[in-house]
Amino acid sequence: MLIEKVEEEIKVKGQEPIKVLKDVGRPCHCLKQKSLKNRFKNALIPEEFKNARFDNYKTENETQRTLFNATKDYLKDFPNIMENKPKQNSLGFIATFGETRIRNLSGEERYKVKAEHNSFGLGKTHLQMAAAKWILNNIRIHDEIAPGQKSRFDRGCRVLCVSDIRFMGELINAKMNSDGGQTLNKLLESAIQADVLVWDDIGKVKYSETKEGLYYEIINERYRQQKPIIFSSNEDIGTLSEKIGYAASSRLEEMCGDRLYRVEGKDYRLRREAQ
């Protein structure tokens, strides 16, 4: 911790303000580096995406270029998003033709539509994790310590990355725990209070009313607190509503505004295996 002198005015009724020097602690470089390492650890970036970066993302077709440019454009505006907290603060990639809609088709038609409207293997998760790492490395935040007054000290941005199947499974298991809701509340709090929530493959789990309630609680609270969500889904806007609930889906759509992208293209994993 470094100590620096800061000039401060003390107002005394009936007298001129008095200027005094006050010792104020400022985190040193080594503490900031330690904090960065802890934030990377707490972000829960999946091991298979530890090396995901923008410079090793493949842009071999128009869809991948759209995804790449959309993410980069979003991050250019990200300092403004964190500073001014606009309502449209999020980024979403969803399918043009949702997985649930495809599954409901007959065998031959399903194969044809899947080939024409594939949303898998486009690199959505790669870009999400690259964005998460960029935010962890580059964004500093001044917390509000009073209405309209921000701290003079900044801190690193807190990011949480979750995968839909694993995260919703943890929430459901926690809900069934006999600990008075402590584990569930802790999980919900982490998802709600993170500065940025990165939600991969949202809507992947099987629907239930309990899960719909959990989706809405997290998304609505982040909507209310104007905290961004970076998400992807292999559902379209209609089938996503069926999987997470219409209210939660509507909130996500509103939070994205023009930054909700409907994407489809060739599966990169299949092309790589064929080589």
Side-chain angles (χ1 to χ4, degrees), residues 27 83 91 154 156 161 181 222-223 273:
E83 176 70 20
L91 173 68
D154 61 11
C161 302
R222 294 192 66 84
Y223 169 87
E273 290 170 2

Side-chain angles (χ1 to χ4, degrees), residues 97-105 203 234-236 239-240 242-243:
F97 203 101
E99 181 180 5
T100 298
R101 204 180 303 278
I102 292 174
R103 287 181 182 277
N104 289 335
L105 299 173
N234 287 308
E235 300 293 345
D236 58 50
T239 58
L240 182 60
E242 295 172 4
K243 296 298 289 292

Side-chain angles (χ1 to χ4, degrees), residues 160-176:
L160 177 64
C161 302
V162 298
S163 174
D164 193 67
I165 289 181
R166 178 176 295 179
F167 183 53
M168 293 308 293
E170 290 174 348
L171 289 175
I172 294 298
N173 288 337
K175 196 172 180 66
M176 294 187 294

Side-chain angles (χ1 to χ4, degrees), residues 36-267:
L36 178 61
K37 288 181 180 178
N38 287 336
R39 284 186 289 109
F40 262 90
K41 180 180 178 180
N42 294 334
L44 302 181
I45 296 172
E47 187 64 35
E48 63 266 35
F49 290 100
K50 291 292 185 183
N51 295 319
R53 305 185 307 274
F54 291 114
D55 63 3
N56 62 9
Y57 176 74
K58 304 294 183 181
T59 53
E60 298 178 347
N61 55 52
E62 189 61 33
T63 299
Q64 290 175 320
R65 284 188 287 274
T66 296
L67 290 166
F68 181 82
N69 291 331
T71 306
K72 296 287 279 187
D73 289 344
Y74 175 70
L75 293 178
K76 284 179 184 177
D77 194 40
F78 199 77
N80 170 63
I81 288 172
M82 297 308 294
E83 176 70 20
N84 297 313
K85 296 186 177 298
K87 285 188 176 181
Q88 294 183 341
N89 54 29
S90 300
L91 173 68
F93 299 133
I94 63 173
T96 302
F97 203 101
E99 181 180 5
T100 298
R101 204 180 303 278
I102 292 174
R103 287 181 182 277
N104 289 335
L105 299 173
S106 62
E108 186 176 341
E109 188 178 9
R110 183 190 306 138
Y111 178 82
K112 180 181 178 181
V113 171
K114 174 69 173 65
E116 292 178 353
H117 300 289
N118 173 69
S119 62
F120 294 85
L122 304 178
K124 300 188 295 296
T125 305
H126 181 119
L127 286 173
Q128 286 178 309
M129 299 308 149
K133 289 191 281 187
W134 185 91
I135 291 168
L136 285 165
N137 275 310
N138 292 280
I139 299 299
R140 307 291 298 178
I141 292 174
H142 290 269
D143 284 319
E144 191 171 70
I145 55 178
Q149 182 183 356
K150 292 192 175 182
S151 169
R152 61 165 59 93
F153 299 120
D154 61 11
R155 63 167 176 81
C157 191
R158 293 188 291 261
V159 179
L160 177 64
C161 302
V162 298
S163 174
D164 193 67
I165 289 181
R166 178 176 295 179
F167 183 53
M168 293 308 293
E170 290 174 348
L171 289 175
I172 294 298
N173 288 337
K175 196 172 180 66
M176 294 187 294
N177 276 356
S178 56
D179 63 357
Q182 292 184 28
T183 303
L184 177 62
N185 290 335
K186 185 176 180 180
L187 287 170
L188 289 172
E189 188 75 4
S190 67
I192 291 169
Q193 295 305 326
D195 296 312
V196 184
L197 178 61
V198 180
W199 202 326
D200 185 42
D201 211 1
I202 188 170
K204 183 68 174 178
V205 296
K206 186 177 180 181
Y207 171 83
S208 73
E209 288 187 6
T210 299
K211 291 169 191 168
E212 179 179 341
L214 293 169
Y215 280 123
Y216 182 75
E217 182 171 354
I218 295 168
I219 293 169
N220 186 61
E221 273 302 306
R222 294 192 66 84
Y223 169 87
R224 192 180 64 81
Q225 297 180 34
Q226 295 171 293
K227 291 185 173 184
I229 303 175
I230 300 173
F231 67 94
S232 65
S233 179
N234 287 308
E235 300 293 345
D236 58 50
I237 196 63
T239 58
L240 182 60
S241 297
E242 295 172 4
K243 296 298 289 292
I244 71 173
Y246 290 94
S249 178
S250 177
R251 284 283 189 259
L252 278 179
E253 194 171 358
E254 185 178 351
M255 290 169 73
C256 289
D258 294 336
R259 296 193 183 100
L260 181 62
Y261 295 86
R262 295 161 175 80
V263 296
E264 61 185 21
K266 298 290 185 181
D267 188 330

